[in-house]
Amino acid sequence: MAGNLTPAWLAKRGTSRGGLLPFLVLLFFLSGGSGLIYQVLWLRLLGLVFGVTVHAAATTLASFMAGLALGSLAAGRLADRARSPLAWFGAAEILVGLTALASPLALGLLERLYVAAYPLLPQALGPLTLVRFLFASAVLLVPTTLMGASLPLVAKSALLRGGDAGERIGLLYAANTAGAIGGTLLAGFYLIGGVGIGASFKLAATINVLVGIAALALARTGGRRHPAPHLDAEVGGAAARPPGAGPPAAGLPSRARQLVLLVFAVSGFASLALEIVWFRVLILYLSVTTYAFTFMLATVLGGIAAGSALVAWPLRRWPGTPWRWLARLAAIELALSVASALSLAVLAYTPAALERAAPLLGRATPRGLAMSLIASFLALFPATLLMGLAFPIGLHLWVAGTGGADARAGERLGRFYSLNVCGAILGSVVAGFLLLPRLGGRGSLVALAALALLSGLLLLAALPPAWRASAPGVGLAGTALFLGTALLAPDPYVAALSRRYPGEQLLWREEDPQLTVSVHRREDGVTLLYVDGIHQADDSPAMLRFHRLLGQLPLALHPDPQRALVIGLGGGATAGAMSRQVGVEIDVVELSTALVRGADQLPHVNNDVLRQPNVRLRMDDGRNYLLLTSQRYDVITADIIRPFHAGAGSLYSAEYFRLAHDALADDGLMAQWVDTSSETQYRLIVRTFQSVFPHTTAWADGGLLIGSKGPLRLDPEGDARRLRDPATREALEALDLGSTDALLSLCTAGPEEVRRFAGPGPLLTDDRPLIEYFLTLPRGDRPVDLARLRGVEGEHKGCPIAPDPGAARSEAGRSRGRSGTPNGVARCPAPLPVGPAAAR
């Protein structure tokens, strides 16, 4: 496209600002798309450095949005002084592409610097959050500041002479937001899973550079013919008025315009806070996949884009007086309060809507994704449409509301946008840290909707006496509707769980910034733990057996375990089983305080694990802990985490397994659960795990992998020593692990069988988390064929575990930092019927 925008071609097409407006809208659309791709990629990569705790995520988001606010403020002032703001926009887009392209390298350097500096940093949350903000800003500040500069520069551009400021800005804002929708869908459904994060950065950077070149070409042709007037001069002049519109109206007084600015700072706060609350609550109704979050974000952006586009034409054709638009803005804010309070109540209609939409969606759309799409649309689109309507009106009143020329129009636009973004930064922090933990989903939603109600009432109160005749009635009606919807709105968590799990009794519930956790009892007496409405654990015998096996098996296989690490507490059964082994110190890493207190409700499941003297709890992101710790462990295991859940890709990548490998002692073992319901996913995980642990063995019908740095061997003498302790013996014998032969009976395949079954193919990496983005994988997969995994005709070709009583490991050989070598090979008998089916 940039190649066609030559000066000669533009001269033939005409260079009037109205004629070139479609080109500028297209450029801003592409800029919005690349910007959202960057945001998705940066948040993902920074999560690998700082972790995915809400504190780390809020820090990353704040650094990203701080750059946008700074860029908007600075570019607003620059636009008033520049002869060709569009040329500055073009230069900024090229620099965005170049700096963003370099950001993965910069993030790699940042990770190494952060790891080296971490032991010297204060461990208190406040100082550590500040350090993370500074580190993230060091990488993101330049590209995000340049991105934030785009709207003021384009809006002030000399290529936008025709039309009202509100109309122009509305169209630009709608185009940019529509591009963001495209970037969201492209990154979420194709780029990350299809080509990888590195290639996605290259594509987005290429788009930015081409947009910049095209903008420079437009500026070179159009800028020479038309010196740039000021926005407010256009708005106040006759050229900006449509035929028959009459003389320009007087502007708003300063006090009313300051109120509009305040309302949109509050609006930025409420909008992003609402988005966080919506996402937390909607996930109770949807599958916890990256595609559900992609649909939710695309719906929010879609409503904003549609609203901005819809209001652009009325701002020009029905200009009225500024007071009329202020009254319309007040009505929109009142309607927004009602729509926000009502947003979650409509989720009850999702199943019926899905049935009606099924013929339109066809068989190409999986039912889970169709449910995400419909639920997101019903709950989010009405409120976000009103947000989109409000933004151009507020910007019009603030920038063009003086009724005459203003040489500081660009600065005013930049200030408006930057304050809106600053409000959004504060909203993201308050929603995650204060509102959700203290008020819950329903209370947070009502509180944020009340801010929109208050904004509408304040705008009505600011109207002059001539406009106030109907204001009290409108205000009372809006307040009554809001109160009615707020009082009648159901608790979203209770509504979701009662529909998903009817007949269960709620025993306990708590929300924290990370998760919503609840404990229920089924009619058959089984106690269950749910995390965000998803089953996490229960006290049924099959579930307890498998979770305890996940903890006890690697301890039983290790000759002399002294220190173990559990990634993720879950219901605590895995860590609780490990805590029963005498002489083993256990570290548990968990990021949710609500889940910790939820596990406390199940002491009969987890051996009251958090009160055991040999157990220490660390509140942190598990992968981040592995990145930063200097501790070395004899055993590392993890709670069961579904690989296709949003964010789970970072716990199944080769880089994650390498972090675990480096945190193991030389004779250490890592246990990894693998879902056997999909052979394609199973092969991917096994292949990736074995790329880091070449001596991988498969256990419990292939549902558990044991990784070691050297060939695995059993130590009968060590087994006998462990069984002398009554508590340890009871725990092991309950799982049929009370002897070397019993351990061997659980072996499914040795390293060669595992390698042969996994075969050649791609690995799971941080760059391409294929299972998390599972739509890139073949559909209609089959479960794992255990006969093929075990070898030809069901024979085990050699689990390389060699019990050798005559060569028992000496005390020196059992010291930390040494590993044994096998003296023989034992063939495994048929495995016991224990497998991952119990975990499901």
Side-chain angles (χ1 to χ4, degrees):
M1 181 188 67
N4 290 332
L5 292 176
T6 60
W9 185 84
L10 290 172
K12 293 180 181 179
R13 295 287 297 172
T15 55
S16 68
R17 290 166 202 168
L20 289 179
L21 177 60
F23 294 103
L24 201 57
V25 167
L26 176 60
L27 295 184
F28 215 37
F29 171 87
L30 294 172
S31 175
S34 63
L36 240 294
I37 293 174
Y38 291 138
Q39 181 178 343
V40 171
L41 301 181
W42 282 330
L43 289 175
R44 190 169 187 95
L45 291 182
L46 282 167
L48 300 177
V49 179
F50 298 135
V52 296
T53 66
V54 69
H55 310 92
T59 301
T60 300
L61 184 62
S63 63
F64 176 87
M65 301 192 75
L68 298 181
L70 180 63
S72 177
L73 190 63
R77 297 183 179 184
L78 171 66
D80 291 327
R81 298 172 176 82
R83 289 190 57 190
S84 178
L86 186 58
W88 282 94
F89 166 73
E93 286 292 303
I94 293 174
L95 290 174
V96 166
L98 296 178
T99 55
L101 187 60
S103 61
L105 176 62
L107 286 170
L109 296 174
L110 170 69
E111 179 179 302
R112 290 192 285 273
L113 179 61
Y114 182 64
V115 171
Y118 186 78
L120 307 176
L121 299 177
Q123 296 304 298
L125 178 61
L128 189 58
T129 298
L130 177 61
V131 170
R132 286 168 171 168
F133 176 80
L134 295 175
F135 271 61
S137 297
V139 175
L140 301 186
L141 189 62
V142 173
T144 56
T145 298
L146 292 166
M147 289 164 62
S150 59
L151 180 61
L153 290 173
V154 170
K156 187 70 187 216
S157 169
L159 294 172
L160 290 173
R161 174 176 293 173
D164 178 84
E167 176 197 24
R168 296 194 304 270
I169 295 170
L171 286 174
L172 287 171
Y173 190 65
N176 193 252
T177 308
I181 300 169
T184 299
L185 296 174
L186 189 61
F189 279 88
Y190 173 69
L191 289 179
I192 297 178
V195 300
I197 290 176
S200 300
F201 269 112
K202 294 176 182 178
L203 174 63
T206 300
I207 293 173
N208 279 121
V209 171
L210 292 177
V211 167
I213 293 172
L216 290 173
L218 288 170
R220 180 183 177 189
T221 303
R224 289 180 176 177
R225 291 188 170 218
H226 302 290
H230 298 298
L231 272 175
D232 288 340
E234 298 178 26
V235 173
R241 316 293 295 173
L252 293 176
S254 175
R255 187 173 180 179
R257 289 164 58 241
Q258 293 294 333
L259 177 60
V260 170
L261 188 63
L262 173 64
V263 163
F264 276 87
V266 173
S267 175
F269 171 92
S271 298
L272 199 57
L274 274 171
E275 186 176 326
I276 291 173
V277 173
W278 280 331
F279 282 22
R280 278 290 304 276
V281 174
L282 267 175
I283 209 63
L284 301 174
Y285 294 82
L286 309 176
S287 56
V288 191
T289 67
T290 187
Y291 300 113
F293 286 102
T294 299
F295 274 135
M296 285 188 273
L297 180 56
T299 303
V300 169
L301 296 171
I304 293 172
S308 299
L310 285 173
V311 81
W313 187 78
L315 278 170
R316 172 174 171 80
R317 300 305 303 175
W318 307 321
T321 68
W323 292 116
R324 184 180 299 278
W325 279 109
L326 189 68
R328 291 168 178 163
L329 180 60
I332 291 173
E333 290 291 326
L334 294 177
L336 176 59
S337 70
V338 176
S340 300
L342 193 62
S343 57
L344 299 180
V346 302
L347 289 173
Y349 300 99
T350 300
L354 179 61
E355 294 304 322
R356 293 190 177 185
L360 298 176
L361 296 173
R363 295 182 179 179
T365 305
R367 184 177 179 85
L369 296 184
M371 177 72 81
S372 299
L373 176 61
I374 293 172
S376 299
F377 182 85
L378 290 176
L380 309 183
F381 190 80
T384 55
L385 179 71
L386 293 167
M387 292 177 188
L389 290 171
F391 189 86
I393 296 173
L395 194 53
H396 167 75
L397 292 173
W398 167 248
V399 174
T402 57
D406 184 353
R408 297 169 57 208
E411 179 184 349
R412 296 171 66 78
L413 190 154
R415 188 189 311 170
F416 183 95
Y417 186 63
S418 63
L419 282 176
N420 184 262
V421 173
C422 287
I425 296 172
L426 184 60
S428 67
V429 174
V430 170
F433 289 91
L434 295 177
L435 292 181
L436 282 169
R438 295 178 183 272
L439 301 180
R442 180 180 179 276
S444 300
L445 192 72
V446 171
L448 294 169
L451 286 179
L453 175 70
L454 179 61
S455 296
L457 295 177
L458 288 174
L459 291 171
L460 286 176
L463 293 172
W467 289 84
R468 286 184 189 166
S470 59
V474 173
L476 286 173
T479 303
L481 283 172
F482 166 75
L483 292 175
T485 54
L487 292 174
L488 295 176
D491 185 309
Y493 195 89
V494 173
L497 269 293
S498 61
R499 184 167 60 252
R500 184 178 293 180
Y501 308 111
E504 294 184 355
Q505 178 188 2
L506 176 64
L507 303 178
W508 176 90
R509 188 182 100 189
E510 183 174 316
E511 293 185 53
D512 72 0
Q514 296 286 153
L515 304 170
T516 301
V517 183
S518 63
V519 177
H520 297 239
R521 178 168 292 131
R522 229 165 39 200
E523 293 177 349
D524 59 2
V526 173
T527 303
L528 307 102
L529 178 73
Y530 294 115
V531 175
D532 284 339
I534 304 297
H535 177 271
Q536 178 70 29
D538 62 54
D539 58 2
S540 65
M543 174 66 70
L544 289 180
R545 177 178 175 80
F546 193 81
H547 276 271
R548 289 169 178 171
L549 183 66
L550 183 57
Q552 288 282 14
L553 179 63
L555 290 179
L557 291 173
H558 194 281
D560 185 22
Q562 296 179 14
R563 197 170 190 90
L565 173 67
V566 182
I567 303 294
L569 178 62
T574 298
M578 300 175 80
S579 71
R580 300 184 67 179
Q581 289 232 16
V582 175
V584 181
E585 298 294 318
I586 300 164
D587 293 334
V588 180
V589 182
E590 175 55 57
L591 54 78
S592 169
T593 57
L595 190 53
V596 170
R597 286 192 276 271
D600 248 352
Q601 309 299 312
L602 304 172
H604 64 293
V605 167
N606 55 42
N607 192 38
D608 206 8
V609 60
L610 298 177
R611 292 174 179 81
Q612 298 300 322
N614 62 333
V615 176
R616 285 176 299 277
L617 175 68
R618 180 183 178 90
M619 301 305 299
D620 201 350
D621 171 82
R623 172 165 171 155
N624 197 242
Y625 176 79
L626 287 174
L627 174 69
L628 300 172
T629 187
S630 59
Q631 182 66 53
R632 293 297 172 260
Y633 292 94
D634 300 308
V635 168
I636 296 177
T637 187
D639 192 51
I640 291 177
I641 301 169
R642 297 291 180 182
F644 53 82
H645 282 178
S650 63
L651 297 178
Y652 283 88
S653 66
E655 291 85 352
Y656 166 73
F657 293 138
R658 200 165 292 121
L659 289 174
H661 176 280
D662 294 343
L664 285 172
D666 286 349
D667 58 352
L669 303 177
M670 181 178 182
Q672 176 64 50
W673 170 79
V674 194
D675 187 358
T676 59
S677 64
S678 166
E679 186 166 304
T680 298
Q681 295 185 19
Y682 186 88
R683 289 174 182 271
L684 275 168
I685 296 172
V686 169
R687 189 184 304 128
T688 303
F689 190 81
Q690 197 169 43
S691 73
V692 177
F693 297 100
H695 303 282
T696 296
T697 50
W699 301 73
D701 286 353
L704 292 180
L705 302 178
I706 299 294
S708 57
K709 294 185 177 181
L712 183 64
R713 58 175 287 170
L714 291 186
D715 180 9
E717 199 172 89
D719 296 339
R721 185 172 55 250
R722 272 191 292 268
L723 291 174
R724 295 191 190 111
D725 176 74
T728 301
R729 183 172 64 249
E730 180 184 358
L732 291 174
E733 289 180 348
L735 297 172
D736 299 323
L737 300 179
S739 67
T740 301
D741 288 339
L743 284 175
L744 284 170
S745 69
L746 286 176
C747 180
T748 305
E752 289 305 317
E753 287 79 26
V754 170
R755 184 174 293 106
R756 189 181 304 115
F757 184 82
L763 303 180
L764 296 172
T765 63
D766 290 339
D767 185 70
R768 285 189 71 194
L770 290 170
I771 297 181
E772 185 180 349
Y773 292 83
F774 54 85
L775 290 183
T776 58
L777 299 176
R779 296 192 192 179
D781 203 7
R782 62 184 179 184
V784 173
D785 185 345
L786 291 175
R788 293 170 55 213
L789 174 61
R790 289 170 184 151
V792 179
E793 297 181 356
E795 293 187 0
H796 303 280
K797 291 285 186 165
C799 295
I801 42 182
D804 186 358
R809 188 173 299 186
S810 68
E811 288 300 317
R814 286 195 292 268
S815 64
R816 302 283 70 82
R818 293 186 59 182
S819 59
T821 56
N823 295 303
V825 174
R827 178 167 297 176
C828 303
L832 295 177
V834 178
R840 294 193 294 272

